[in-house]
Amino acid sequence: MLELSGISAGYAGAQTLFDLSMRVEAGEAVAVIGANGAGKTTLLRVISGMLPARSGSMTMDGVSLRDSPPHRIVETGIAHVPESRRLFPRLSVESNLKMGAFIPAARARFRERLDYVYGLFPRLKERRSQLAGTMSGGEQQMCAIGRALMSGPKLVLLDEPSMGLAPVVVQQVFDLVRRIRQEGYTVLIVEQNVRQVLKVADRGYLIEVGRIRAGGTAAELLASDAVRDAYMGI
Amino acid sequence: MSRVALRPTRGIPPLAWSALGAAALLAVPILIRYGAPGSERYYLHILIQILIWSFIYTGWSLMGRFGLTSLGHGAFTGIGAYTTVLLWNVAGLSPWLGIPVGIGLATAAALLVAYPCFSLRITGHYFALMTLALTEFVRLCIVGWRDYTGGSLGTQPQRAPGGVSITALQFEPDRVLSYYIALALWALGLWMWLRVDRSMDRYALDAASQDEEAAASVGVDVTREKLKITGLSAAMCALGGAVYGQYQMYIGPDTIAGLGVSLNIVFGTIAGGLSVLLGPTVGAVFTQLLSEVLRVAVQGSGLTAQLGSAALALDTAIYGALLIFFIIYMPKGILGTILEARRRRRAGAP
Ligand SMILES: Nc1ncnc2c1ncn2[C@@H]1O[C@H](COP(=O)(O)OP(=O)(O)OP(=O)(O)O)[C@@H](O)[C@H]1O
Ligand SMILES: [Mg+2]
């Protein structure tokens, strides 16, 4: 479904991703793990078009995404749940969801999508008229995921959905991730919570300073020395 | 296509009230003729000024309400007014053609400055400074090109023979006609505001003003949306500036082009209420009455004798002080605050 090859990217002055190649097949959940500053967020921002890649190629269902602006990339069926959620704080929950259906294809099926998301996350329906900025962290994450689903995506990019949440809530967020998997979405998820995310994911990649250090099935990664040494504190 | 209503905009009066208001406004010249026969021209003059500035303020508020604080609108009114008058005076081109040219030039100038700002994500103070530079640039051009523009003294459109003229778009001698022209312009401004308010662009811009990257991530072409509203806003202000020049039969850097005008627009709109339909209109009533009161007070007090032309800068100083007051204590403006208080009272009523 999504294929990156030889991607390099960075910010003014510093290169952050080096010659990075990876793929995500339809129906899979793929985890990207790595230390702070490894480049995980940068990777997702490159995929969703927020940050143009410097070199390399990137395709979605065979169509090149290189140099496409974010609003075009959403239309190819990629929805990004950004790091730290990035809701529209002064809009209600429902208005946030409506913004999620901004692209013309989704706008036409807005009611249907809204009912679907409310069915999936009834909590959002209860809170529909609350300002998004006043919700708890877990609810905001739910709203951010709901907003991404409103565009009717095939692939959902999740950037550290458990960040800054209490352990009980982290569990709930991983349950949300499981739910959207069951709904048939393909998922690419970035996490620091290695043990947890590798329970949800089929496969994973370990990124270190902008390069892929290891890749394999969740079980392989869990067993690998690179992951055990660095992230599991054993 | 289904319209997505995010959140009803407040402050749009119900239809019955609008009809009543429209009838009253149409009847104003008659009321004044019989109510204040001796000062008919004076009262109409004040109203015409209020209506034209309301239109200009409304144009500014279209982008100002989304956090795009431009100090460049004194350039756009100036480009509109000067292009129209110069094409008429120098080339004999009718304002019917001159105004569209002026609008085109102002829009082009706006996009030229805005495009790099928006694509480089320059916002807030820096955007305000970029647009301020444009205003100053236009003023310098006007002053520098004084053979045609009259420099800082300003200039006048050459009068068409016979006073009121359709081809020359000169209507000032007929105050009642001028009033209806200004009223039509004002109504056009409200209509534009409502159109924007009910479009998807408004939702996109509202979202982008809260979080640009999040707006982009749901599929908003943020740069394009901002350029569209900036172009529209500049075009409206150019039209307003041109009509103002035709009505005043005088254009000068102090009255229609330059930083003073920009500040007046920003102040008036914020004072009235940035994101309600009639906020800019209330703001124009406020600024026009304020400057009228100041003018009378300054003339009456003999301050002019002591301060000389510095007395003219007095209203700018007072504007500045009031602007700070409004930003701190009444950020929703006069009308915005009143509407909010009324809504609170209704919601809180037992
Ligand atoms: N806007 C930016 N401008 C400049 N450098 C940046 C920017 N954003 C990130 N970086 C740098 O790029 C590198 C990778 O950052 P990135 O946010 O992708 O890491 P991450 O893996 O998501 O980390 P974390 O787990 O802490 O979220 C870091 O060295 C960071 O300092
Ligand atoms: Mg990150």
Side-chain angles (χ1 to χ4, degrees):
Chain A
M1 178 176 259
L2 178 75
E3 183 152 3
L4 310 190
S5 107
I7 288 286
S8 303
Y11 301 93
Q15 189 170 346
T16 310
L17 298 180
F18 301 85
D19 191 26
L20 193 140
S21 302
M22 63 185 291
R23 54 193 298 144
V24 180
E25 299 298 343
E28 274 191 315
V30 175
V32 174
I33 55 180
N36 290 115
K40 309 180 295 296
T41 296
T42 308
L43 172 65
L44 294 195
R45 296 186 70 227
V46 167
I47 296 172
S48 66
M50 298 292 169
L51 183 71
R54 288 182 184 163
S55 61
S57 73
M58 185 163 83
T59 58
M60 173 76 177
D61 293 329
V63 180
S64 172
L65 299 182
R66 260 306 291 286
D67 302 321
S68 294
H71 58 273
R72 290 266 167 275
I73 290 183
V74 189
E75 286 172 349
T76 67
I78 300 180
H80 187 175
V81 182
E83 191 172 44
S84 60
R85 311 181 256 281
R86 309 290 288 261
L87 293 173
F88 304 113
R90 293 185 302 281
L91 293 185
S92 69
V93 169
E94 188 152 311
S95 298
N96 268 276
L97 297 179
K98 283 176 178 168
M99 281 312 298
F102 186 82
I103 56 170
R107 222 180 284 167
R109 301 173 50 213
F110 163 68
R111 269 284 141 205
E112 191 188 316
R113 296 300 305 171
L114 187 67
D115 289 342
Y116 167 75
V117 169
Y118 278 158
L120 209 54
F121 306 138
R123 183 64 159 276
L124 292 181
K125 191 168 187 179
E126 290 164 24
R127 301 280 164 136
R128 65 208 286 175
S129 49
Q130 188 173 342
L131 292 188
T134 65
M135 290 199 303
S136 78
E139 289 165 344
Q140 289 194 18
Q141 191 61 56
M142 187 184 278
C143 187
I145 295 175
R147 184 178 70 185
L149 297 185
M150 286 299 292
S151 68
K154 291 181 262 183
L155 170 65
V156 182
L157 311 177
L158 291 163
D159 196 341
E160 296 206 45
S162 75
M163 188 167 78
L165 302 177
V168 194
V169 187
V170 170
Q171 277 309 323
Q172 292 167 0
V173 166
F174 278 105
D175 287 342
L176 293 183
V177 177
R178 276 195 193 89
R179 286 252 284 293
I180 67 171
R181 276 218 65 184
Q182 284 159 9
E183 290 292 313
Y185 295 100
T186 307
V187 173
L188 179 61
I189 177 172
V190 159
E191 261 298 335
Q192 303 255 14
N193 225 315
V194 174
R195 210 187 291 265
Q196 293 273 11
V197 77
L198 288 179
K199 278 193 226 156
V200 184
D202 304 305
R203 287 195 300 118
Y205 294 94
L206 169 64
I207 299 194
E208 267 177 22
V209 257
R211 289 186 172 82
I212 292 188
R213 171 76 198 289
T217 65
E220 284 166 5
L221 279 176
L222 272 172
S224 79
D225 291 342
V227 173
R228 295 176 74 90
D229 294 352
Y231 304 102
M232 316 272 301
I234 303 173
Chain B
M1 193 190 70
S2 63
R3 277 211 193 287
V4 181
L6 276 190
R7 145 173 77 108
T9 297
R10 292 163 185 135
I12 297 175
L15 202 63
W17 282 105
S18 310
L20 207 66
L25 286 169
L26 287 169
V28 156
I30 302 167
L31 297 178
I32 291 183
R33 178 156 298 173
Y34 294 105
S39 337
E40 186 184 352
R41 285 182 69 79
Y42 174 71
Y43 285 122
L44 282 176
H45 174 66
I46 304 273
L47 288 174
I48 292 164
Q49 299 230 34
I50 288 176
L51 289 170
I52 296 177
W53 283 108
S54 294
F55 174 75
I56 293 173
Y57 291 180
T58 303
W60 186 84
S61 81
L62 283 186
M63 62 189 289
R65 68 184 289 203
F66 300 116
L68 299 170
T69 307
S70 157
L71 293 175
H73 280 55
F76 308 141
T77 52
I79 293 173
Y82 273 87
T83 307
T84 306
V85 171
L86 292 185
L87 284 176
W88 171 247
N89 285 356
V90 177
L93 192 68
S94 159
W96 290 102
L97 297 171
I99 290 178
V101 174
I103 291 175
L105 285 177
T107 310
L111 298 182
L112 213 62
V113 172
Y115 181 74
C117 286
F118 295 159
S119 52
L120 296 172
R121 299 272 173 269
I122 293 174
T123 53
H125 304 315
Y126 297 101
F127 178 68
L129 286 176
M130 295 290 286
T131 52
L132 185 149
L134 174 70
T135 303
E136 196 52 18
F137 174 75
V138 167
R139 195 187 64 84
L140 287 173
C141 289
I142 290 170
V143 172
W145 213 30
R146 64 172 56 82
D147 290 348
Y148 295 99
T149 62
S152 46
L153 293 176
T155 187
Q156 292 179 312
Q158 273 156 26
R159 291 212 177 245
V164 174
S165 156
I166 294 179
T167 31
L169 200 67
Q170 291 179 5
F171 44 80
E172 171 269 336
D174 185 342
R175 280 283 154 92
V176 173
L177 174 65
S178 302
Y179 172 80
Y180 285 117
I181 289 175
L183 191 64
L185 189 70
W186 173 77
L188 171 71
L190 299 189
W191 180 74
M192 297 289 245
W193 192 95
L194 285 170
R195 277 204 55 156
V196 169
D197 194 63
R198 287 169 186 171
S199 68
M200 267 329 270
D201 301 312
R202 168 187 155 224
Y203 303 120
L205 286 162
D206 198 11
S209 74
Q210 297 186 30
D211 190 327
E212 277 198 18
E213 187 155 321
S217 84
V218 297
V220 176
D221 186 348
V222 177
T223 303
R224 181 153 170 271
E225 291 292 345
K226 286 194 196 167
L227 284 176
K228 264 162 64 180
I229 202 73
T230 303
L232 179 63
S233 173
M236 283 175 68
C237 285
L239 174 59
V243 172
Y244 183 81
Q246 295 303 110
Y247 169 67
Q248 294 281 339
M249 291 301 283
Y250 163 78
I251 53 174
D254 293 332
T255 62
I256 200 61
L259 188 56
V261 178
S262 290
L263 290 175
N264 177 296
I265 295 172
V266 175
F267 166 66
T269 314
I270 290 178
L274 194 51
S275 41
V276 281
L277 171 65
L278 292 176
T281 303
V282 171
V285 172
F286 185 72
T287 55
Q288 294 311 303
L289 292 185
L290 185 69
S291 66
E292 204 52 26
V293 167
L294 284 174
R295 191 177 61 80
V296 172
V298 168
Q299 277 173 0
S301 67
L303 264 179
T304 334
Q306 289 161 31
L307 294 175
S309 63
L312 286 176
L314 202 63
D315 55 345
T316 307
I318 292 177
Y319 278 168
L322 281 172
L323 181 59
I324 294 170
F325 169 84
F326 274 105
I327 286 174
I328 297 176
Y329 296 104
M330 238 197 224
K332 288 183 184 329
I334 299 170
L335 187 62
T337 307
I338 292 173
L339 291 175
E340 170 123 336
R342 207 179 59 175
R343 207 180 57 247
R344 282 244 178 81
R345 220 178 38 232
R346 282 197 184 149

